[in-house]
Amino acid sequence: MLGLDELFICREHCGQFVARTFIDARIDAERTDPTFAGIELKTLAGNALANQFFASIGFRKK
């Protein structure tokens, strides 16, 4: 299981695909592990920017 405590991107780097590149690289690396079971993502309900970002790359609320 992939665990990531916090992801913070400075405002001056927003829109430069820094977070997307990082998340994609982590997912790709985890997929090579035969014991990879999935990714659990938790965000604060009020963090609209994070929730919008993760929804845009395919994460869905349960």
Side-chain angles (χ1 to χ4, degrees), residues 4-54:
L4 174 64
D5 187 43
E6 292 186 36
L7 177 62
F8 178 81
I9 305 300
C10 297
R11 292 231 182 255
E12 61 265 19
H13 297 292
C14 287
Q16 297 178 9
F17 301 98
V18 174
R20 175 66 187 254
T21 301
F22 174 78
I23 295 296
D24 286 345
R26 290 305 315 141
I27 291 170
D28 289 345
E30 291 298 320
R31 284 187 177 144
T32 64
D33 182 343
T35 64
F36 176 66
I39 297 171
E40 179 180 50
L41 176 66
K42 295 179 183 179
T43 62
L44 298 174
N47 191 339
L49 189 59
N51 292 322
Q52 182 181 13
F53 166 70
F54 287 115

